[in-house]
Amino acid sequence: MKNPCITLQGKKQLSGVLPFLLSVFFAQPSFASSEANLVLPNLKDAALASFLGGMTGWQLLAYGLLVCLAGLVFGAVIYGQVKSRPVHRSMAEVSELIYETCKTYMQTQGKFILLLEVFIGIIIVAYFGWVQHMAVGEVVLILAFSLVGIAGSFGVAWFGIRINTLANSRTAFASLEGKAFPVYSIPMKSGISVGMMLISTELLIMLCIMLFISPELAGKCFIGFAIGESLGAAALRIAGGIFTKIADIGSDLMKIVFKVKEDDPRNPGVIADCTGDNAGDSVGPTADGFETYGVTGVALISFILLAVPEAAVQVQLLVWIFVMRVMMIVASGISYIGNEMVMKAKFGNAAGFDFEAPLTSLVWVTSIVSLLITFIVSKLLIGNIAIGGKMYADLWWQLSLIITFGTLAGAIIPEVVKVFTSVNSRHVREVVTASREGGASLNILSGLTAGNFSAFWMGVVIVGLMTGAYLVSQGDLAQVINPDPAKATVMAAVFSFGLVAFGFLGMGPVTIAVDSYGPVTDNAQSVYELSTIEQIPGIEREIKDSFGIAIDFDKAKALLEENDGCGNTFKATAKPVLIGTAVVGAATMVFSIIMLLTNGLTDNVSHLSMLHPPFLLGLITGGATIFWFSGASTQAVSTGAYRAVEFIKLNMKLDEGSTKANVEDSKRVVAICTLYAQKGMFNIFLAVFFGTLACAFIEPFFFIGYLISLAIIGLYQAVFMANAGGAWDNAKKVVETELRAKGTELHAASVIGDTVGDPFKDTSSVAMNPIIKFTTLFGLLAVEMAVGLVAQGQQGLAWGLAAVFLVLNLVFVYRSFYGMRIEHQ
């Protein structure tokens, strides 16, 4: 099928595969619209658009750099406050051991990601260098920005584990005084520091591309940057999710096998579990958040440049979007400071309080502040916008309202998630009740039920918010986005969906903060036990003399366990926000690909229908991929956990003189987790890589159906798995803290349910987010390479390459199970 958006001029057809490929690579195609030809408008041209009394878009966004730097300083100051908190040496030593194992893990993963970058780099060079025939220096620049994307994901993830491993020991020590507020405030400080550093770094890089890279190259650099950060996030999410759940299951099952307490120091799996808390619950989400924020921005930029023909409108929309992003940093900082002041006045001296209350308050306060800032700044920026001599007086509030649907989602979705995962949830209570008589069997069935119901209601919420955005978009936005009314209706709707995804991330620092809260609270409990502080001779007198604290061990343990339940809940609430953003944002990116394939919605639009067989087949294939991925990631966890349990059972020393596990045994468990995390990630990533190429080369509209199905089915599968896992996790927490039933049959049932939920909530579900975005972004390059072949009349060759890629895809799909099977040794 010839694609009309591509023309190849003056090139003689060559016979033979190799000569033909050379002719393709060195041809000079002219794309009517292509992400390789995305050219940013001149932001310095006041004649196109000016703001706030004559300021150019470039000048206004330059001030945004200062806000980003202020956000970095804010994060650094909070980091210093956490580091300076008092801590006993026994706890500091444990947290440093955890950090050292995390460092080793990160260094290993960094090398592995660079290996995977080779595969991506080959496609980037082939497309931009050979197919697009760009200069060597330009291709190198695009490659460099893909490395910047990887470095960004990797760097913020590393910062996250560093501050979290400082905060875990400080939180554990703060609990000794028996006051609840410090046990809450230290993980919160750690979280907001990560959130502010992450969002500020991301926005700083994107603003630098927009302001300091030439307009002809900026669009290409955005694509390279986004692909790089997607690669980094996908690899760290997959590997981290596999690692953490191998360690978690290996550690948890010992409670049943040997009837030992949580985080027993004699268990060599506990250090690996603590490392996994950071690898899976800190590294993965941080890299994922960095990528999500960036890719959503790139999707909107690509859409604006492809769909909006008027340069003046492009400038107005681009500047408005980036100013909104800058102001969200301000909104999060203000909200955090204000919320902390109120919470300290309210709970500062309280012996106990509901740990969920201040986090819920922060989320809603930030949402409201973001909403107000959005309307105020939009009015100042585009309140009197005139395009083509016509005034659009309502555009400012309509755009603000569309973003508000997303901002509200950032607050509403966590509330919906808590209905199914909070320790106070009726669904979680039902899991506990079912376990009393039905054991692990009914525990698991009740959790599955909670997950299924949650997916339904999450869909209702997202559809409702997107519907509201769609209806509002049909006002002034539809009039300014494109001069063709038929196209404008569709384009305004899709752009509004992208803005909803943007609004999801409007309070990005706070979303990341409440997610990062969880691994600190989880680790704090472990650090307390591993420090064996209760057994240190004369510890009460030592801490009284050195820190002026009167120790209350029982109260400390109760506070840490209760706060861990809160951390579990808010880890669960952040996941659907990121997953929802991936799906809603993917809609915008997929539409950008549709714009390329249909020459701006003028040709082959009828192929976007189930009446076009390849499109229908693509829909079916995307769903199959989601279920393969769920199984492959769980298989890696199952096999790794089997090996970890096998080793731990052989090396668990419970004799009377043993107080701690051998350090070498603990490192061996970490090595087992790392090995299977890497094996699983390698098979999964290459299956996704070659699968994307195969689907893009089979037929362009087959690929569109594939991407749509991948996003929609992935959304429901991910939400189902994440919230089922969250329900099982907190059901166990209720049994352990509220019912104090450790060591009973009820506890054993809840532990088994939790181990089933582990890969559900922290491996398979969360990794779908970066997989969806990576496939969509990488697909931009893959599908254009494919249609280049078809444009030369070489449909057979395109199918031949598709067959090669499909075989490679199936090889790694096969390896993801049969190469990872549990085999008795």
Side-chain angles (χ1 to χ4, degrees), residues 259-288:
K259 304 294 183 183
V260 295
K261 63 182 179 180
E262 182 95 15
D263 300 320
D264 192 298
R266 298 168 295 178
N267 183 350
V270 174
I271 289 295
D273 188 16
C274 293
T275 303
D277 288 339
N278 289 283
D281 294 337
S282 176
V283 169
T286 305
D288 190 1

Side-chain angles (χ1 to χ4, degrees), residues 56 93 185 233 274 314 335 346 366 368 377 391 406 457 529 660 823:
T56 66
E93 287 169 2
S185 66
C274 293
Q314 289 178 353
S335 301
K346 187 174 182 180
T366 309
I368 294 168
V377 175
M391 183 75 69
W457 287 112
E529 296 293 347
K660 288 187 178 183
E823 295 180 353

Side-chain angles (χ1 to χ4, degrees), residues 91 98 195 234 247 277 301 325 360 392 440 458 498 506 509 583 597 633 708 737 744 772 779:
M91 293 178 170
I98 295 168
D277 288 339
I301 292 168
R325 287 194 154 203
T360 301
Y392 292 91
M458 195 63 63
V583 173
L597 296 176
S633 51
I708 292 171
T737 58
T744 66
I772 290 169

Side-chain angles (χ1 to χ4, degrees), residues 39 228 308 328 398 451 547 570 722 791 815:
V39 177
V308 180
M328 293 307 104
Q398 291 175 3
F547 301 99
F570 277 86
R815 282 169 51 90

Side-chain angles (χ1 to χ4, degrees), residues 447-472:
L448 293 173
T449 301
N452 281 309
F453 275 133
S454 73
F456 168 78
W457 287 112
M458 195 63 63
V460 170
V461 169
I462 291 175
V463 168
L465 293 167
M466 292 177 70
T467 300
Y470 159 68
L471 295 174
V472 175

Side-chain angles (χ1 to χ4, degrees), residues 296-297 299-301 303-304 316-318 320-322 324-325 328 374 378 382 395-410 465-466 469-470 472-473 477-478 481 491-507 580-581 584-589:
T296 304
L300 286 169
I301 292 168
F303 177 85
I304 290 169
Q316 297 272 12
L317 292 177
L318 287 171
W320 174 73
I321 284 173
F322 274 88
M324 289 296 103
R325 287 194 154 203
M328 293 307 104
T374 297
S378 292
I382 56 174
L395 184 62
W396 71 272
W397 68 261
Q398 291 175 3
L399 287 174
S400 298
L401 185 56
I402 291 170
I403 281 187
T404 296
F405 284 113
T407 305
L408 289 175
L465 293 167
M466 292 177 70
Y470 159 68
V472 175
S473 74
L477 179 59
I481 201 166
M491 291 178 180
V494 174
F495 186 58
S496 73
F497 298 155
L499 290 179
V500 169
F502 171 84
F504 270 53
L505 300 169
M507 47 188 195
T581 303
V584 179
T588 306
M589 186 62 78

